[in-house]
Amino acid sequence: MAKVAFIGLGVMGFPMAGHLRKKGGHDVTVYNRTAAKAEEWVKTYGGTSAPTPAEAARDADFVFTCVGNDDDLRSVTIGETGALAGMKAGAVLIDNTTASAEVARELYEAARAKGVDFIDAPVSGGQAGAENGVLTVMCGGDQQVFDRAKPVIDAYARMVGLMGPVGAGQLTKMINQICIAGLVQGLAEGIHFGKQAGLDIEKVVEVISKGAAGSWQMENRHKTMNQEKYDFGFAVDWMRKDLGIVLAEARRNGAKLPVTALVDQFYGDVQSMGGNRWDTSSLLARLQK
């Protein structure tokens, strides 16, 4: 059992911290910007809450963060009340936020100045993956630090991999989002085409999902897409945030991402339809309007 702090109790962080407490058996202290959410977590899982990230992180062996974006991440880690101010030398800061590789490297340097180790560890698997403790975790950092952290991360993960030095986890998550964007658009167009052609979408998918067209998106989203229901999983607002990070990194490294850039614009159309909180499969709604 380790002493653990978890900072950020959103739809992902709340259950992830719960798995660290219940499945991992760790002594967990939580912090959330809205204190009522931290109180709710304590009532659900036990453990304790703290009034600041620094207090939550005090004397912890591992400190996890899972917040919205780069600026949110800086606000809970750096400064007098940030997690790093309370962390002891030799502890590990593990960031589960989907953020830029640039901020990962920035936090690595800030942590190193405090004698603290750092791993960027964005996750994939959505709210359901977090709730069921079966997330995929893509890590960037030093091998020896990863080896210490992995048994703790395992509490909420099905797959945990070290992808390279600090920043490599975030870069891998960017690839994940690039692939998902293209897959969902292709699935949306396929279902739209089938509807226009008067085909039975369930019969179509039953056949083609067993061949080369099959994917997780097809298996898990075609039914709700066919029913034009879009309140399952990862929200459009979040996907646009992630794709913004991807496209900014592509401008830096010279990668050409024409499909990703186009799908990002399509998600902008969905937002203009009022679909900010619809899930990413709502690309179909844009075609059906």
Side-chain angles (χ1 to χ4, degrees), residues 60-61 88-92 114-117 148:
D61 304 302
K88 64 186 180 183
V92 183
K114 295 272 188 177
V116 171
D117 291 311
R148 286 167 54 205

Side-chain angles (χ1 to χ4, degrees), residues 88-233:
K88 64 186 180 183
V92 183
L93 177 60
I94 302 165
D95 177 40
N96 295 131
T97 308
T98 295
S100 69
E102 182 180 7
V103 79
R105 299 182 190 110
E106 179 183 324
L107 288 182
Y108 172 73
E109 294 298 334
R112 191 165 67 167
K114 295 272 188 177
V116 171
D117 291 311
F118 176 78
I119 292 176
D120 57 297
V123 302
S124 179
Q127 184 175 347
E131 291 172 349
N132 294 317
V134 292
L135 293 169
T136 295
V137 188
M138 299 149 270
C139 298
D142 300 329
Q143 183 70 55
Q144 61 184 19
V145 180
F146 173 79
D147 291 341
R148 286 167 54 205
K150 184 179 181 299
V152 184
I153 296 172
D154 280 339
Y156 56 77
R158 174 168 54 191
M159 173 65 190
V160 186
L162 180 62
M163 312 313 299
V166 166
Q170 295 295 353
L171 293 169
T172 301
K173 178 62 185 285
M174 293 176 206
I175 295 171
N176 187 82
Q177 302 306 74
I178 290 167
C179 294
I180 288 173
L183 283 170
V184 176
Q185 178 62 21
L187 179 58
E189 291 185 14
I191 291 174
H192 173 64
F193 180 90
K195 284 176 173 286
Q196 292 296 109
L199 297 176
D200 183 323
I201 298 300
E202 287 299 321
K203 287 184 178 179
V204 169
V205 171
E206 183 180 3
V207 172
I208 69 172
S209 65
K210 303 303 185 292
S215 68
W216 185 97
Q217 297 292 339
M218 181 178 289
E219 184 70 23
N220 289 275
R221 290 289 176 263
H222 81 274
K223 288 183 182 293
T224 51
M225 290 173 75
N226 192 35
Q227 296 165 1
E228 299 185 22
K229 296 179 180 178
Y230 305 116
D231 55 348
F232 302 88

Side-chain angles (χ1 to χ4, degrees), residues 61-73:
D61 304 302
F62 299 91
V63 176
F64 291 82
T65 51
C66 189
V67 293
N69 56 38
D70 287 18
D71 289 338
D72 293 333
L73 187 53

Side-chain angles (χ1 to χ4, degrees), residues 246-258:
V246 167
L247 294 170
E249 184 66 32
R251 286 191 290 272
R252 279 191 288 270
N253 70 19
K256 299 176 179 63
L257 304 178

Side-chain angles (χ1 to χ4, degrees), residues 26-111:
H26 301 295
D27 177 7
V28 181
T29 299
V30 298
Y31 166 81
N32 194 68
R33 184 167 49 188
T34 305
K37 198 66 176 288
E39 293 169 8
E40 179 188 349
W41 186 92
V42 171
K43 288 179 181 178
T44 303
Y45 295 107
T48 57
S49 65
T52 67
E55 286 298 315
R58 199 167 306 284
D59 295 324
D61 304 302
F62 299 91
V63 176
F64 291 82
T65 51
C66 189
V67 293
N69 56 38
D70 287 18
D71 289 338
D72 293 333
L73 187 53
R74 292 184 181 100
S75 74
V76 298
T77 55
I78 299 170
E80 291 183 4
T81 62
L84 285 171
M87 292 181 71
K88 64 186 180 183
V92 183
L93 177 60
I94 302 165
D95 177 40
N96 295 131
T97 308
T98 295
S100 69
E102 182 180 7
V103 79
R105 299 182 190 110
E106 179 183 324
L107 288 182
Y108 172 73
E109 294 298 334

